[in-house]
């Protein structure tokens, strides 16, 4: 597609429920990133996928968080047993690797998660 | 390892006044530096970037930033603020080699008064 698409745009869930957030990156972008944006906290790195390499999961805050990327394209971020502190905007971005576009991330509009 | 510090979570200016948003970084290797802007209810978009070459880089909407290695700074400026510049601005750094994962600052909210 023309841009990075994320769904749902808004999700309200009850504490303890599982949620799935989806990201559809720009076609041809081999790198995909998940960040979390909390009020006053900036962007917190969560996980990075690059081609067929093992993902860099160093930013995942707990084992309740996981992500996968199928076929080198669409990615799903799953949060199990949600807690109130998981409330945030979850941002997905994609980029090229190598060449002049290697350094620029294109972001989606985000998925706002509210845990009651 | 790298980090980014943005001084001031909020900056308020009058329309037509100079805009200065500060960013200092730390990086163990030569950095690539970025400014992204987030308008209300929109995703982040690239404003400008420094990779190599000229240390003064120009971006969209009249913004520019200067890479100063000796000061480890990459401050963002615009000579004359417009109301439409009101947004959240994020500075980011990533190493020029190795990891492709940028580290972002906490952001600075620019408020423009008429």
């Amino acid at each position: 597609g023309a841009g990075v698409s994320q769904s749902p745009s808004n999700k309200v869930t009850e504490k303890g429920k599982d949620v799935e957030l989806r990201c559809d990156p720009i076609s041809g972008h081999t790198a995909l990133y998940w960040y979390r944006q909390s009020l006053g906290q900036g962007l917190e790195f969560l996980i990075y996928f690059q081609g067929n390499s093992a993902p860099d999961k160093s930013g995942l805050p707990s084992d309740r968080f996981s992500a996968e990327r199928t076929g080198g394209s669409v990615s799903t971020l799953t949060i199990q047993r949600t807690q109130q502190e998981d409330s945030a905007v979850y941002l997905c971005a994609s980029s090229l690797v190598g060449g002049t576009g290697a350094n620029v991330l294109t972001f989606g509009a985000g998925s706002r998660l509210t845990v009651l | 390892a790298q980090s980014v510090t943005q001084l001031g979570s909020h900056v308020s200016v009058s329309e037509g006044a100079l805009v200065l948003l500060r960013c200092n970084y730390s990086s163990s290797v030569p950095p690539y530096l970025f400014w992204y802007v987030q308008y209300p209810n929109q995703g982040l978009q690239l404003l400008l970037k420094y990779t190599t070459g000229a240390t003064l880089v120009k971006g969209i909407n009249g913004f520019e930033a200067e890479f100063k290695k000796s000061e480890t700074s990459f401050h963002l400026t615009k000579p004359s603020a417009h109301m439409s510049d009101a947004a959240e601005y994020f500075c980011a750094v990533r190493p020029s080699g190795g990891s492709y994962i940028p580290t972002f600052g906490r952001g600075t909210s620019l408020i423009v008064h008429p």
Side-chain angles (χ1 to χ4, degrees):
Chain A
V4 177
S5 178
Q6 291 188 245
S7 61
S9 56
N10 278 286
K11 176 72 176 180
V12 180
T13 190
E14 294 180 347
K15 178 182 173 180
K17 300 286 189 183
D18 297 351
V19 297
E20 286 189 350
L21 306 176
R22 175 189 167 102
C23 173
D24 197 347
I26 290 174
S27 178
H29 280 192
T30 57
L32 187 146
Y33 307 74
W34 283 98
Y35 285 85
R36 179 167 69 176
Q37 184 177 19
S38 304
L39 192 63
Q41 298 300 311
L43 273 68
E44 175 190 6
F45 166 72
L46 297 176
I47 189 168
Y48 165 67
F49 296 90
Q50 165 47 29
N52 296 320
S53 302
D56 183 329
K57 303 179 182 181
S58 60
L60 294 179
S62 78
D63 59 8
R64 295 187 296 105
F65 288 72
S66 63
E68 63 177 17
R69 187 179 186 189
T70 54
S73 181
V74 171
S75 177
T76 302
L77 176 69
T78 300
I79 308 173
Q80 295 179 310
R81 305 181 302 282
T82 51
Q83 303 295 312
Q84 289 184 331
E85 60 262 30
D86 299 335
S87 296
V89 177
Y90 289 82
L91 297 173
C92 177
S94 67
S95 77
L96 294 170
V97 175
T100 58
N103 306 309
V104 178
L105 273 59
T106 301
F107 283 85
S111 292
R112 181 177 297 278
L113 175 65
T114 303
V115 182
L116 302 177
Chain B
Q2 65 262 6
S3 66
V4 176
T5 301
Q6 291 185 240
L7 293 177
S9 58
H10 294 83
V11 170
S12 182
V13 300
S14 298
E15 193 173 19
L18 171 71
V19 175
L20 171 60
L21 304 182
R22 298 179 185 274
C23 173
N24 288 89
Y25 70 91
S26 68
S27 178
S28 55
V29 298
Y32 290 160
L33 295 158
F34 309 82
W35 277 98
Y36 285 83
V37 60
Q38 185 178 33
Y39 296 105
N41 301 313
Q42 296 186 26
L44 279 78
Q45 59 182 281
L46 182 73
L47 201 53
L48 49 77
K49 66 176 180 178
Y50 168 80
T51 54
T52 59
T55 56
L56 180 64
V57 292
K58 296 184 183 300
I60 60 173
N61 300 335
F63 284 92
E64 61 182 36
E66 186 170 11
F67 169 56
K68 292 188 176 181
K69 183 178 178 180
S70 62
E71 298 177 8
T72 61
S73 70
F74 191 57
H75 301 330
L76 182 70
T77 61
K78 181 174 180 178
S80 176
H82 295 161
M83 296 296 291
S84 60
D85 294 328
E88 190 85 13
Y89 292 81
F90 294 91
C91 182
V93 62
R94 61 152 276 213
S96 55
S99 172
Y100 283 92
I101 302 170
T103 299
F104 285 81
R106 292 195 170 198
T108 298
S109 178
L110 177 64
I111 301 161
V112 182
H113 297 287

